[in-house]
């Protein structure tokens, strides 16, 4: 095979590959568009075909978890979020944990409203844990900070043994602490 | 007098920072106020020691939870010659009801020189942390106000878009180049044998004179002037790729000469086929496939 023939074949191969790339990228763009449509649909409170969510990107599951939470289907929302805890980049993982914290906190508040403290306490603890994880991933997330503070006020952490200086950091490392449920009602 | 001065200089040489095991020790901290829950605080400790003195990294605080409200999230130790830089990053999880003073706990750094150890204290560092929420409970329709869920981010199609434009551009460029090679552009010199083959396809063996004329015209057009057999060497110099089919070309010019001038050339069906083959080879060369 001469150099010219080889060059000619290479040009044809390159053309076939670039047309392949063109088709692939068109498909990818179409898929992104369809996924964004699904996200929009879920965000506006309309359910979508679950099979599309299962086979889709983690953002779709996050959107469906939000939809399920809006419909008060908390258990389904929780299992949907738990599937994407370790997926995506750091910012996405922080968002998943923040929404997970909100899921727990909202349920806890519902229990507090009906004075079911025993049900509320573990949920607040889980919410705090989720917000802490979200902040460990993104310390600039103001919503996580705010809601963690809401959860902390709902269930303040206090030292069991108060030796005069309750926030002495050296002593706290080895001391036990406990939590006290309830809203600090504050000023009238 | 001179001896006294010498003793004084010797004493000066023996004292001072040169003999200090730790010649420089500084703790660099950011502003000590205005922190809120979840904030990170960076602490940088710079130590310069005498050579041979090494920091014992086991004396550094362990990464992880230090106490109920404080996490040490990052420890980074950089050793540059006799200088050691320790970067610590803490994260606070304290929710005060009002502005409150807290402290990063101090620790003792240990250095080793042979069997001896020496220590340097990093003192507590105090700062204030403020609440994010008012003391009075703010309520929305159902229960206490909290920040809403984050809306799921839309997927980005920028990578696919860039890939699409890139592959489109490459496809168009390659397509245009191939179209040029295949002589699809009018006035292209790469159309010479394409057109000749098209004309030849309509002819039969009885039209040998016309067939030879078509082939000659094509070679003349390619050569930009009439091409004769004795000029073939020059033709090959300017069109080197046609050297590959020199036998066919020699046969063609021989055949043509005998057909037009000796009058003794018999016309056989395979002769037209051979001319067609010659033009097809030329066509392949023309479009860069040979």
């Amino acid at each position: 095979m001469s150099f010219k023939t080889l060059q000619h074949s290479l040009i044809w191969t390159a053309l076939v590959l670039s047309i392949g790339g063109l088709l692939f990228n068109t498909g990818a763009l179409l898929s992104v568009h369809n996924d964004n449509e699904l996200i929009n649909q879920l965000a506006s409170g309309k359910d979508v075909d679950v099979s599309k969510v299962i086979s889709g990107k983690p953002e779709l599951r996050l959107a469906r978890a939000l939809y399920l939470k809006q419909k008060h289907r908390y258990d389904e929302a929780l299992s949907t979020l738990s599937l994407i805890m370790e997926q995506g980049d750091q910012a996405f993982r922080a968002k998943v944990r923040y929404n997970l914290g909100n899921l727990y906190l909202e349920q806890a508040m519902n229990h507090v409203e009906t004075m079911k403290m025993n049900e509320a306490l573990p949920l607040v603890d889980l919410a705090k844990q989720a917000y802490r994880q979200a902040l460990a991933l993104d310390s600039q997330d103001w919503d996580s900070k705010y809601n963690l503070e809401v959860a902390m006020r709902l269930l303040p952490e206090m030292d069991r043994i108060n030796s005069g200086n309750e926030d002495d950091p050296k002593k706290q490392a080895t001391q036990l602490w406990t939590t006290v449920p309830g809203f600090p009602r504050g000023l009238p | 007098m001179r001896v006294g001065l010498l003793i004084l200089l010797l004493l000066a040489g023996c004292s001072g920072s040169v003999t200090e095991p730790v010649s420089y020790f500084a703790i660099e901290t950011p502003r000590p106020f205005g922190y809120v829950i979840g904030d990170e605080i960076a602490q940088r400790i710079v130590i310069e020691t005498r050579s041979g003195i090494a920091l014992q990294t086991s004396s550094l605080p362990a990464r992880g939870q230090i106490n109920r409200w404080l996490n040490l999230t990052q420890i980074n130790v950089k050793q540059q010659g006799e200088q050691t830089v320790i970067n610590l990053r803490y994260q606070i999880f304290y929710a005060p009801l009002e502005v409150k003073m807290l402290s990063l706990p101090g620790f003792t750094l240990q250095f080793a020189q042979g069997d001896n150890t020496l220590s340097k204290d990093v003192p507590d560092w105090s700062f204030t942390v403020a609440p994010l929420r008012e003391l009075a409970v703010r309520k929305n329709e159902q229960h206490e106000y909290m920040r809403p869920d984050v809306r799921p981010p839309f997927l980005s199609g920028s990578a696919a878009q860039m890939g699409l434009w890139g592959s489109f551009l490459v496809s168009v460029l390659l397509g245009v180049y191939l179209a040029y090679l295949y002589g699809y552009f009018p006035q292209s010199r790469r159309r010479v044998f394409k057109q000749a083959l098209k004309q030849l396809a309509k002819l039969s063996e009885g039209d040998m004179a016309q067939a030879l004329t078509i082939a000659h015209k094509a070679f003349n057009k390619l050569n930009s002037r009439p091409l004769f057999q004795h000029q073939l060497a020059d033709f090959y110099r300017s069109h080197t790729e046609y050297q590959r089919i020199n036998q066919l070309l020699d046969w063609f010019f021989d055949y043509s000469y005998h057909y037009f001038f000796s009058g003794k050339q018999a016309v056989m069906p395979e002769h037209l086929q051979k001319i067609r083959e010659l033009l097809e080879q030329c066509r392949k060369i023309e479009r860069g496939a040979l």
Side-chain angles (χ1 to χ4, degrees):
Chain A
M1 189 183 272
S2 72
F3 174 72
K4 279 270 180 187
T5 320
L6 185 72
Q7 194 185 24
H8 200 77
S9 311
L10 281 175
I11 292 167
W12 270 107
T13 312
L15 183 67
V16 169
L17 286 176
S18 63
I19 288 172
L22 195 73
L23 292 174
F24 174 79
N25 285 307
T26 308
L29 210 58
L30 212 64
S31 161
V32 165
H33 176 76
N34 289 341
D35 283 351
N36 284 342
E37 278 296 308
L38 291 175
I39 289 172
N40 241 338
Q41 207 174 321
L42 285 163
S44 60
K46 292 176 202 155
D47 203 3
V48 297
D49 185 4
V50 185
S51 61
K52 285 180 185 169
V53 177
I54 291 167
S55 58
K57 295 267 164 53
E59 284 83 353
L60 275 173
R61 285 188 195 265
L62 185 63
R64 185 140 202 281
L66 187 61
Y67 162 81
L68 292 167
K69 188 189 162 213
Q70 283 165 354
K71 301 288 172 196
H72 304 289
R73 290 156 68 180
Y74 295 121
D75 288 343
E76 288 172 78
L78 179 62
S79 55
T80 306
L81 282 179
S82 64
L83 289 170
I84 50 169
M85 290 291 280
E86 300 307 325
Q87 290 184 25
D89 59 7
Q90 193 163 320
F92 181 77
R93 292 205 302 275
K95 285 187 176 93
V96 173
R97 279 156 180 77
Y98 169 72
N99 277 9
L100 181 69
N102 277 7
L103 183 66
Y104 286 130
L105 191 58
E106 190 176 300
Q107 290 179 81
M109 283 177 171
N110 291 340
H111 287 309
V112 168
E113 290 296 317
T114 53
M115 298 308 285
K116 291 178 186 167
M117 289 303 175
N118 285 341
E119 281 90 344
L121 291 182
L123 288 167
V124 180
D125 255 341
L126 289 168
K128 284 198 273 190
Q129 196 183 326
Y131 291 133
R132 276 172 185 255
Q133 286 175 0
L135 285 167
L137 291 164
D138 179 9
S139 65
Q140 298 303 308
D141 182 12
W142 284 93
D143 285 350
S144 292
K145 289 180 186 197
Y146 190 91
N147 284 358
L148 176 57
E149 201 166 298
V150 172
M152 292 279 217
R153 294 260 184 105
L154 193 61
L155 190 66
E157 291 170 354
M158 293 178 75
D159 298 312
R160 188 185 292 276
I161 302 159
N162 193 336
S163 57
N165 182 7
E166 63 177 35
D167 300 313
D168 183 355
K170 284 176 189 163
K171 288 180 181 169
Q172 281 165 13
T174 54
Q175 287 174 352
L176 294 173
W177 59 81
T178 186
T179 52
V180 175
F183 288 114
R185 292 293 166 186
L187 300 171
Chain B
M1 180 71 180
R2 280 182 185 172
V3 174
L5 192 65
L6 189 67
I7 290 167
L8 203 66
L9 282 171
L10 280 171
L11 282 172
C14 292
S15 64
S17 63
V18 180
T19 51
E20 288 282 321
V22 177
S23 56
Y24 182 78
F25 184 82
I27 302 162
E28 295 168 12
T29 44
R31 57 180 160 77
F33 57 89
Y35 294 96
V36 294
I37 191 166
D39 273 354
E40 288 184 310
I41 300 172
Q43 194 175 42
R44 188 167 182 263
I45 303 163
V46 184
I47 312 146
E48 277 175 24
T49 56
R50 219 166 45 199
S51 61
I53 296 178
L55 170 75
Q56 289 188 317
T57 47
S58 58
S59 63
L60 287 166
R63 196 165 164 240
Q65 191 166 11
I66 290 183
N67 58 42
R68 159 170 75 78
W69 55 266
L70 187 67
N71 276 10
L72 178 57
T73 56
Q74 207 176 55
I75 307 171
N76 184 15
V77 181
K78 275 185 196 164
Q79 190 91 41
Q80 292 170 332
E82 288 162 11
Q83 191 186 60
T84 307
V85 179
I86 304 166
N87 285 300
L88 302 171
R89 188 169 282 272
Y90 294 92
Q91 192 167 26
I92 49 171
F93 292 105
Y94 194 94
L97 294 173
E98 57 190 7
V99 176
K100 187 171 175 68
M101 183 163 278
L102 300 171
S103 292
L104 293 183
F107 51 92
T108 305
L109 287 172
Q110 303 276 350
F111 298 88
Q113 185 183 29
D115 293 335
N116 299 327
T117 57
L118 59 111
S119 54
K120 199 82 185 170
D121 285 334
V122 176
D124 290 358
W125 182 74
S126 298
F127 62 97
T128 56
V129 60
L132 282 172
R133 305 170 68 236
E134 66 281 22
L135 200 59
V137 173
R138 181 174 150 199
K139 280 197 156 198
N140 60 11
E141 296 152 3
Q142 291 175 326
H143 36 63
E144 194 175 358
Y145 175 76
M146 60 184 269
R147 296 295 299 150
D149 287 293
V150 67
R151 196 187 149 93
F154 284 118
L155 298 171
S156 168
S158 56
Q161 221 162 26
M162 273 177 66
L164 184 74
W165 282 112
S167 48
F168 174 73
L169 198 71
V170 171
S171 301
V172 167
L173 288 175
L174 288 171
V176 167
Y177 185 56
L178 280 170
Y180 163 74
L181 290 181
Y182 278 76
Y184 282 106
F185 292 119
Q187 308 302 325
S188 168
R189 287 174 71 84
R190 291 187 179 265
R191 289 168 65 90
V192 173
F193 291 105
K194 186 185 181 186
Q195 284 172 338
L197 272 170
K198 211 182 270 181
Q199 289 167 356
L200 199 68
K202 298 169 190 163
L203 304 179
S204 63
E205 62 180 271
D207 308 317
M208 182 53 84
Q210 214 178 331
L212 289 169
T213 308
I214 287 167
H216 274 296
K217 275 186 177 172
F219 285 116
N220 292 348
K221 196 172 177 185
L222 180 69
N223 198 37
S224 304
R225 58 181 181 276
L227 179 65
F228 298 104
Q229 192 167 17
H230 68 274
Q231 293 169 331
L232 276 175
D234 287 339
F235 175 74
Y236 292 143
R237 266 196 288 281
S238 56
H239 300 83
T240 47
E241 56 274 24
Y242 288 87
Q243 180 82 52
R244 292 187 205 117
I245 53 164
N246 61 344
Q247 284 178 340
L248 261 177
L249 275 167
D250 283 343
W251 172 85
F252 168 73
F253 277 97
D254 263 350
Y255 182 86
S256 172
Y257 177 78
H258 286 114
Y259 181 86
F260 284 119
F261 301 112
S262 72
K264 292 175 186 172
Q265 184 63 57
V267 177
M268 308 287 281
E270 59 264 29
H271 293 156
L272 188 64
Q273 184 53 39
K274 208 160 179 183
I275 292 169
R276 187 169 285 124
E277 191 189 323
L278 168 70
L279 292 185
E280 275 169 0
Q281 292 291 318
C282 291
R283 171 70 185 139
K284 277 188 183 174
I285 293 170
E286 182 179 72
R287 69 171 192 236
L290 190 70

